[in-house]
Every structure is written in C-alpha cells, then in structure tokens.
Amino acid sequence: MERLEWLLDSIASEPGLACPKCEAFCGGGLKKTLEKHSRSRTISARKKKDLRIRPAGNGSKTITLSLLVHPGWLKGAPPRDNSGHPFGGCADDSVEATVRWNHTRASNCHLVEVRGNLPELFTMEDGTVIKTGVDGGNVPSKSTFACAECGTANDVLEAIQASGKTGPLARYAIQGYCPACDRAGEAYGGRFFNEVRNTRDIDAAEREWETRRSTDLDSYWPRNELSYGWKTHGWNIPGHGFTHYYKMFNARQLMVHALLLRAIMRCADPQLTDFLLGVFQQYLRNQCLFCIWNIGADKLEPHMSHNNYHPKSTMVENCVFADLGRGNWKSQYDVLKKTLDWATNPYETVDNSFLQSQWSHLSGHVSGGSEKVTCGDPLTYNESLACLSSSERLTCGTSTELETIPDKSYDAVITDPPFGGIMQYAELADFFYVWLRIALKDRYSEYFGAEFTPKAMEAVSNPLRHPGQDSETHRLNADVFYQRLMTECWSEASRILKPGGILAFTFHHSEDHAWVSVLESLFDAGFTLTATYPIRGDETKGDKGQFGSQKIEYDIIHVCRQRTITPNPISWAKLRRQVLRDVRDLRELLEHHQEEGLPEADLQVIRRGKALEYFSRHYGQVYKDPDTPMSVLEALVGINQLLDEEAGGIKDPPPHNAEPFTRMLLRLFDGKGELPRDQMQKFLRGTGAAPSSFVDRGWVYEEKKIFHLKSPVDLAQEWIGKHRRGMTSDYDQAIVLIGACYEGSGINANDTLNNPNFKPHPALAAVLTWFKTHGPDSAMRNAATVASQLYRTWEAKHKPKAKQPTLFDMFDDESDGEEA
C-alpha cells in the first residue's frame, strides 16, 4: 500500500512531540484534538484521568490530572489580522486564510495542568483567574456560548448560520507517547499532552490538498451534497455548514482517505479490494470531524457512537498507521480479519455454569462468566453450490419481497426490525456509501449505481418523507407508512416459514407509539406472541428507573408463531385479571432478581412482555364494551396502568373495568380540574398515552400551558341532538349524565337513559361512583351523586327478569377480587 510520506515527514517535524519528561522525540500514538467554533467556544469540560504515580520506594498512589485550556486562548481572534487579511479555518476558506488562522490561534495556545482535586476557582502565577465550576468556561447552557471577551451569550447555530460556513477549526492539544517513560513507570503510561504552538504540518497538508484535490486525487473523494432526510435536514446539519459529505473531514483527513482509496482501487485482487474497502469504511468513522475525545473514558469515540450527524465541539483527528490509539487503520484491519477467522471456525459464548453442569471435568479449568466454544459449523458457501447452500447467501433487497426464498422452506426467521424513527439507516449509511460508490459503482452497478442508498421502501418512520399539515401529522403519516411496510415484512416472514416455524426478534423503543406499530403489524400479519425473554442490551440506554423510555438496560426477545385458530373473544376486564394473576405469580422470582440488582425499570419490561403475550392470543377479539374491540394502543395503555399500579401499590385506583384511557384520565385529574402541561407530560411519559389522546377525545382542553377538564355541562350540551349510538365511551356516558344533573343545566338526564340507542357501558356505574368522591369540586361531586342515583334507579327498572346473556356478560362471570 502506498506510504503517506508527507504525513510521516510532517509528524517528524512537529516539535510539540518532544516528551516533556525526557525530551525524547516520540512519534507513536499521535492524536490531534480539534476545537470547533473556537472563536468563541471553550473546551467546556476538562480532561480528567486517574493516574498511578510510583514514587521512590515501594507503594503507589492515585492522583487526578486535569488538563485545561488557558482562558487567553478561549478569547479567540478577530475576523481579520492587523493588515486586514481575513482569517480562515472553515471548510471553504482559502488555504492562505486558513494558514493565517492556524498561526494566530497557535500563537497564544496554552494548556494548564492541574494535579489533584480540581478547585472551582484558582489563580495562576500570571494572575489569571480560572473558574472550573458551573460558572466556568464559556458554555452557559446547551447549544449556547458566551463570548470570552465581552461575556455576551449567543446561540451556536445562529452564529454559524450567520457566517454561511462551517465553524472554524483550531488545534489546541496534541497527545504523544514516550516508550521510555512508560517502561520507567512514569505517570499516565508514558502518554503526555503538549499544546499546539507550531502548525507547519497542518499548513503543509492544507496546501498539498488544495493542489492534489483537482489533479491526481480528483477521482477519489466525494462531492455529494447531504442526502435529504430526518437525521440530516431534520436536524439542520446543513445549517451548521455541513452541506456536503466532504466537509465532514478536514484537509489532512481528506488527503489520507483519498490516498487510501486510490491504493485500494489499484489492488488487482477483487476479493482483497472488497476486504480492504470494509476496513476503509470503518476507518472513515474513526477519522472525521464527528469523532470526539471521550473525557470520561480518556479515548477517541468514533462517529455514530450516537446515531446521528450531530456536530461536535471536541473533535479528535486520529493517526493512521500507528500501533497505539483507538480507531487507527491497524485496529480496523484486525477487527475485520477476525471476522474471516470466525467464518472458518465460528464460536458462541457459553455460560460457564452451564458448561460445568454438563461437563463436570471442566470445573476448575474455566474462569469468568463465559467461554468461547467452537461450533464446528463453518460458513462454507460456494457459488457452484449455491442451490445447496442458500442459507449462507447474502442478498441485498427489500424484506417485503423475499423473491429468492420459496414458500414454507424455513424453520425460523430471526431478525432485528428497524426502530421506527430512532434509526434512519439509509441516511446514516450515505456517510459511507458516497465513498464506497467511487470504488464499487462499476463492479456493482446494481447496488452502487445511484447517487445515494435507496430510501423509498425503507421501513422507517421519517417525517420529512411523509409531509402533513403540521409536525404531528408529519409523524402520524410517517408512522402509518412504517407500520404498512412492517406488516408486509412480517407477512413475507410468515410465507417462508414452515408450519409451526418460529419468528424471533428483539425490539425496544423510547416511544410507545413505535411499539404499537410493530405489534399491530405483527398481529395483522397473522402472528401471535408465544414467549418473551428479557436480555441485557448491548448498551445501557440511560438512567435506570425510567420506564417506558429509552432508559432501559434490558431488551425483550419476542418469540412468535403463526396464528392457526381464530382467537376467542374476551372482555378487557377478564383479560386484565388473567394478566394480573400471572404477573403476581412472577413477583417472587422478579423480587429475587431485584435483590441482586435488577432495576425496577427492567422488571417492568419483563412484566409488560408477559402481559402482551396474553393480548396477542386474543388480538382483534378483546372487547372494552359488548360491541367495541380494543386497539393495541388501548391495550398497551391498559397494561402499563396495570403494571404501574401493581408495582406502586396505589391505594385507591380508578374502576378496574373502565376503559384504559378513562382510567388514565381519572388518575391524572383525581380531585383536580386542571393540570400544568409539564406535569401532565411527565406523568404520561412511558404510559402509551399523550395529552393529545385526551384533547382529541374532547375531554380536556389546553389554555396558557394548563390542561383543564372540559365542563360536564359543556360536554353534555355538545351531545344534544347527536345519535346516542355513538356514545360508547364510559367517560362520555358518565360526564353527559353528570352534566345533565347540574343545577340549571337545562338538560334532562332521562333523555339519554331512555333513548333506545343508548347502551350503558359495563363500567358506567363505577365511573359515576368514582366522581362522587374524586370530582374536582363540590358541584361536580354533588351532580355525580345525583347522576349515580338516577342511573341505579333506571338500571333496576330496565333490567329484564329473563335477560338474554351477552358475550360481554359471559366474559365477566368471575368475581374480580382486585380490590382485595
């Protein structure tokens, strides 16, 4: 592979790599840290690292090292130098302007090293006062900066957009490694930081790239504008100046990637070329302007550690061929090489307790939690045996049309479906695609012929692809499209499965509407949940204890089979009792795990998975009243309520047989008639419900950021002249009767009770009774008392002596027993 002599020469000429301890030149493990928006932006956090210091004699002690940027550097620079020449530093600035900028920013670059606990305020020898607490730096709040010269606070995005360019980059620190110091046991393993006082290397790279980008390297870097989508334009990434993919790299990085890509494309062996391109695409995310220095872990974090293009303020430029550091070329090459080794000799990790229980002679020979056990089942796909080895073929296409797979041919389908709107896979893939297309568009024109990855049939929820009148209809349209595509995918999985075959997938999402889409599409495709298994996710998704959000450490593996019989109808009240009994049976087992540290949020995920099993068995046949089946959303809301109340031990919950959204509203407005927006949103987070769920039903309205219960009299008047056949909700029925019983309402409750189309909800009496004691004011409580008496009298008179039992009556032939 072509050696990058220009890079090695520039490294060797950088005086900042002299070890401050022994003054030896140290070239390995070079990392350049870059500061974005540096005219006004500070290094808002300091780099802390526990160091093992070995003093003379035996023993050692741990100290904390903090590395700060001097406030003088944070003041930035004016737009022009003393001669009136503009400064550069942005992606489209001229080379000479950027060189002037580099020199100016390096001229007063100073780092401050503090050993021991970092005080919130201290004074340096030159009299400079440094603040490190909450008032330190110049980042007063999220997405803002305060000018270090005058203190004025500004919005970062507004400041960048005013310039019409990317934020200017300025280097302030370089990390080196001293092997001799490492061998001597010096602090920090021989690593050190030096301030950037000389910019000859980066200046040379800027000038060389300016020349070669349009000559010998012209064909080896992308010019594409950002593809339009939710993670790009929805997040306003072009507003930060990143209008093209090449602007996500500085000049030296573009030089590195173009040279690497040219060397790979000149390789004569197609298989080796494809392998090296796999290494190359992974190296891209470790060498771009979205890489950051992870202060807590004290290492580089690559682009897409979070699934977005969010601009970074503590960028890191990695080295290329060094042995040290995270994300260099060698580390990416080694990772991909291991995949080839696995393909010829695959293994699985097996719990050591299981190994020892099966093979007792292994006791004492294994340690830790698990061991890698080879399977003896290598991937041996051969083109000449394609018809015999189809299970090992990789194909690229839509899962809505698995054309190469015949009907009823697979025992299992195992998948990880797209997570609604969280991951915009195609948009994120374009970061790699625009580079790979340069090398692959001729050999694989079917897949790399288009400018960007295909998106029309991508099973994601993308509001920008499905416009509506406002942001809410954007999302709803996007969710409808996502659910339709998911249904088609599940239907194809059903087609290729043998009778009795298994579909298994894992899914967890921060928003319950995505759960609803996945579950409805799954059930509509003819599947039923047969088992759910909690597993620890590949990463902790936030603070423990936040149920119903992305703060869950455990995911759920859903195991499904094709529905073979029509489900039996059942009332929600009876199904709720079954779920509650099963959850209570699990309590002892779950509490045992909780004692060992399993957080409550994860226990709730386990309980909810079990509850959804029950609902799936009766999907489409779960009734909230004799004539109205429950939707998946209503079931999810009801299940969340049940689990929440069971876990929290609520003393006086709303009527158990009320509809889920009614129960939620009764809990929200228990004894009150209004609720601030932030409190309502906080309460509903993770429940499956939203404020709009109640506004759309006409039960509440918002005024000046406060939600109010709609007056029973007003709601009752809205039903005057309307057909009572449409009054099926238990809440509507109860509020109309209560509104009619207000003094001076002018409404006769008997007009509703005696209407031949009025069918009282099974929970009506209980909801009226609830408002007798839980109404927000005495007027409503008094009206509820009168309405309850009227309804009880009417019910006694109109109950036939020989009543023909309805299905709903038969559903509820068991005593509830929940109140006990």
Side-chain angles (χ1 to χ4, degrees):
M1 181 173 294
E2 183 175 336
R3 293 178 60 81
L4 309 181
E5 297 296 341
W6 63 271
L7 178 63
L8 300 179
D9 290 343
S10 66
I11 291 176
S13 66
E14 172 56 69
L17 286 180
C19 175
K21 180 72 176 178
C22 64
E23 299 184 353
F25 168 75
C26 307
L30 171 65
K31 300 183 185 71
K32 284 281 190 177
T33 53
L34 312 177
E35 178 61 15
K36 188 169 183 293
H37 319 320
S38 59
R39 289 180 182 170
S40 51
R41 175 90 175 173
T42 179
I43 176 171
S44 57
R46 50 264 174 207
K47 195 201 77 62
K48 282 189 175 182
K49 181 67 179 177
D50 288 336
L51 305 179
R52 182 67 61 181
I53 303 299
R54 295 181 176 84
N58 296 327
S60 63
K61 63 179 181 179
T62 299
I63 66 170
T64 297
L65 166 67
S66 299
L67 193 65
L68 310 178
V69 177
H70 194 283
W73 187 86
L74 297 178
K75 291 184 178 181
R80 298 176 181 274
D81 65 11
N82 294 332
S83 301
H85 298 121
F87 286 129
C90 303
D92 292 325
D93 287 334
S94 69
V95 172
E96 293 310 316
T98 295
V99 169
R100 282 193 296 271
W101 166 257
N102 292 340
H103 290 178
T104 298
R105 300 304 290 126
S107 64
N108 68 338
C109 182
H110 295 284
L111 301 180
V112 182
E113 179 182 309
V114 181
R115 294 200 175 197
N117 294 328
L118 187 68
E120 292 192 1
L121 182 70
F122 65 92
T123 303
M124 297 181 60
E125 292 182 359
D126 62 1
T128 301
V129 177
I130 296 182
K131 295 181 180 180
T132 65
V134 293
D135 296 327
N138 62 348
V139 183
S141 60
K142 183 179 179 181
S143 302
T144 63
F145 67 89
C147 176
E149 186 69 35
C150 66
T152 303
N154 302 273
D155 181 81
V156 172
L157 180 57
E158 289 179 0
I160 295 175
Q161 285 182 312
S163 73
K165 300 184 290 187
T166 60
L169 304 177
R171 287 79 171 168
Y172 58 83
I174 184 170
Q175 187 185 43
Y177 168 70
C178 177
C181 297
D182 191 8
R183 290 192 296 269
E186 294 292 341
Y188 202 24
R191 289 176 288 169
F192 60 88
F193 285 95
N194 275 352
E195 57 203 20
V196 175
R197 302 301 298 274
N198 189 295
T199 63
R200 285 177 299 184
D201 58 337
I202 55 177
D203 295 342
E206 291 280 353
R207 290 190 173 102
E208 185 169 354
W209 175 244
E210 181 65 18
T211 300
R212 302 183 68 178
R213 62 184 293 176
S214 57
T215 55
D216 64 315
L217 297 180
D218 178 70
S219 302
Y220 301 100
W221 61 281
R223 275 79 160 176
N224 313 67
E225 291 189 30
L226 259 69
S227 58
Y228 185 79
W230 178 236
K231 293 290 183 178
T232 54
H233 294 69
W235 285 56
N236 200 12
I237 303 306
H240 287 269
F242 296 103
T243 56
H244 297 70
Y245 286 99
Y246 75 84
K247 293 183 181 181
M248 297 179 177
F249 307 86
N250 64 35
R252 182 158 54 185
Q253 291 170 335
L254 287 169
M255 178 82 77
V256 168
H257 297 326
L259 286 168
L260 285 171
L261 188 58
R262 185 176 71 173
I264 292 171
M265 292 175 64
R266 290 178 176 179
C267 179
D269 186 342
Q271 286 189 321
L272 181 57
T273 297
D274 291 348
F275 174 84
L276 291 174
L277 286 172
V279 181
F280 176 76
Q281 79 161 3
Q282 285 303 309
Y283 185 59
L284 286 173
R285 63 188 290 257
N286 288 275
Q287 185 70 295
C288 68
L289 297 183
F290 292 135
C291 298
I292 64 170
W293 185 262
N294 184 326
I295 296 175
D298 196 34
K299 62 182 179 181
L300 175 145
E301 287 292 340
H303 178 31
M304 295 186 186
S305 296
H306 297 289
N307 47 58
N308 56 44
Y309 288 106
H310 194 278
K312 305 300 189 290
S313 61
T314 52
M315 304 170 185
V316 179
E317 182 181 349
N318 205 351
C319 53
V320 186
F321 297 123
D323 292 330
L324 300 177
R326 180 183 184 184
N328 53 50
W329 177 267
K330 183 178 184 299
S331 67
Q332 304 310 304
Y333 178 91
D334 289 344
V335 167
L336 203 58
K337 185 175 180 297
K338 289 178 181 178
T339 64
L340 297 181
D341 296 336
W342 183 91
T344 56
N345 191 22
Y347 62 83
E348 296 287 350
T349 55
V350 181
D351 185 85
N352 280 339
S353 61
F354 174 79
L355 290 176
Q356 294 177 68
S357 67
Q358 297 296 311
W359 296 279
S360 58
H361 65 279
L362 293 179
S363 298
H365 296 283
V366 294
S367 60
S370 62
E371 292 287 337
K372 294 178 180 179
V373 178
T374 56
C375 309
D377 184 24
L379 298 178
T380 56
Y381 174 71
N382 188 308
E383 287 289 346
S384 63
L385 301 176
C387 60
L388 301 178
S389 310
S390 60
S391 64
E392 297 174 8
R393 293 186 67 180
L394 291 177
T395 59
C396 181
T398 172
S399 295
T400 61
E401 297 177 7
L402 303 175
E403 298 174 346
T404 62
I405 304 177
D407 295 354
K408 298 181 174 56
S409 58
Y410 275 78
D411 296 294
V413 172
I414 301 173
T415 184
D416 187 5
F419 293 161
I422 284 183
M423 294 281 283
Q424 297 297 322
Y425 301 91
E427 291 173 21
L428 298 175
D430 283 336
F431 173 82
F432 308 99
Y433 179 90
V434 294
W435 285 90
L436 296 177
R437 181 175 179 270
I438 295 171
L440 299 174
K441 63 180 182 297
D442 294 328
R443 285 201 293 134
Y444 301 107
S445 59
E446 180 181 357
Y447 304 116
F448 288 91
E451 182 181 11
F452 297 115
T453 55
K455 301 176 179 65
M457 291 294 289
E458 185 183 17
V460 295
S461 177
N462 189 318
L464 295 189
R465 295 185 204 161
H466 306 280
Q469 295 179 345
D470 50 39
S471 59
E472 181 64 18
T473 53
H474 281 343
R475 186 188 67 79
L476 291 175
N477 291 343
D479 288 348
V480 169
F481 176 83
Y482 168 66
Q483 182 170 330
R484 179 170 65 84
L485 264 290
M486 286 301 301
T487 302
E488 294 181 16
C489 292
W490 297 132
S491 296
E492 271 295 88
S494 177
R495 179 186 65 79
I496 67 174
L497 276 175
K498 297 177 182 177
I502 288 176
L503 166 68
F505 66 94
T506 179
F507 189 84
H508 189 78
H509 197 282
S510 61
E511 301 291 341
D512 277 315
H513 65 79
W515 281 81
V516 172
S517 295
V518 169
L519 291 172
E520 282 189 345
S521 63
L522 182 72
F523 300 154
D524 287 341
F527 283 100
T528 181
L529 272 172
T530 58
T532 53
Y533 300 98
I535 59 168
R536 189 175 295 276
D538 55 357
E539 61 179 85
T540 301
K541 300 178 179 66
D543 298 331
K544 294 180 179 180
Q546 285 190 250
F547 175 57
S549 68
Q550 203 178 355
K551 314 298 183 183
I552 304 299
E553 188 173 347
Y554 272 68
D555 288 337
I556 297 292
I557 293 179
H558 302 75
V559 181
C560 314
R561 293 184 186 274
Q562 296 155 313
R563 183 178 288 111
T564 56
I565 58 174
T566 302
N568 295 322
I570 188 172
S571 73
W572 166 242
K574 185 170 184 177
L575 182 63
R576 188 177 186 276
R577 287 195 294 270
Q578 293 180 2
V579 171
L580 187 59
R581 281 197 297 267
D582 200 63
V583 167
R584 287 174 176 172
D585 289 341
L586 284 173
R587 180 181 295 170
E588 183 177 350
L589 175 63
L590 297 179
E591 288 176 349
H592 171 72
H593 285 287
Q594 190 171 27
E595 292 173 0
E596 297 181 355
L598 188 62
E600 178 62 28
D602 296 324
L603 296 177
Q604 288 290 71
V605 171
I606 297 169
R607 296 184 184 110
R608 179 160 65 170
K610 182 59 65 176
L612 287 172
E613 286 183 39
Y614 278 99
F615 180 76
S616 72
R617 296 172 193 170
H618 300 275
Y619 176 63
Q621 296 293 318
V622 180
Y623 287 82
K624 57 184 180 181
D625 64 53
D627 303 310
T628 312
M630 285 185 81
S631 68
V632 172
L633 175 59
E634 290 173 314
L636 191 60
V637 171
I639 288 170
N640 285 339
Q641 288 173 7
L642 183 153
L643 299 178
D644 184 36
E645 293 169 5
E646 182 70 7
I650 296 176
K651 295 181 180 179
D652 191 14
H656 71 275
N657 58 343
E659 296 177 12
F661 280 102
T662 299
R663 298 189 81 246
M664 185 62 69
L665 189 72
L666 298 184
R667 283 185 57 184
L668 278 167
F669 291 90
D670 186 353
K672 59 178 73 74
E674 61 184 42
L675 200 63
R677 180 201 293 173
D678 59 341
Q679 291 187 25
M680 188 167 181
Q681 291 173 333
K682 183 177 180 180
F683 184 93
L684 293 176
R685 188 176 299 130
T687 65
S692 59
S693 304
F694 308 102
V695 173
D696 295 344
R697 285 172 166 80
W699 298 349
V700 303
Y701 64 94
E702 184 181 10
E703 189 175 88
K704 296 181 179 180
K705 298 183 178 181
I706 295 178
F707 286 98
H708 302 264
L709 274 180
K710 181 170 287 189
S711 163
V713 176
D714 291 344
L715 201 150
Q717 289 176 340
E718 290 177 3
W719 275 96
I720 294 176
K722 290 184 179 180
H723 207 296
R724 290 301 185 268
R725 185 174 297 165
M727 189 188 292
T728 59
S729 164
D730 51 0
Y731 185 83
D732 284 335
Q733 292 179 1
I735 292 300
V736 165
L737 292 178
I738 292 173
C741 293
Y742 271 73
E743 288 188 23
S745 70
I747 305 171
N748 190 341
N750 287 318
D751 289 345
T752 294
L753 291 172
N754 295 322
N755 189 300
N757 294 309
F758 175 70
K759 293 184 178 180
H761 191 284
L764 176 56
V767 174
L768 290 171
T769 301
W770 167 272
F771 278 115
K772 288 168 57 177
T773 55
H774 295 266
D777 51 48
S778 59
M780 187 173 184
R781 291 192 292 271
N782 292 336
T785 300
V786 175
S788 179
Q789 293 172 348
L790 281 176
Y791 177 69
R792 292 293 187 185
T793 300
W794 177 90
E795 186 181 38
K797 292 180 178 179
H798 289 79
K799 183 181 293 184
K801 295 181 180 179
K803 181 180 179 182
Q804 178 69 32
T806 67
L807 284 176
F808 202 87
D809 296 323
M810 291 189 290
F811 295 156
D812 291 321
D813 57 0
E814 301 178 17
S815 61
D816 184 74
E818 285 191 59
E819 301 303 324

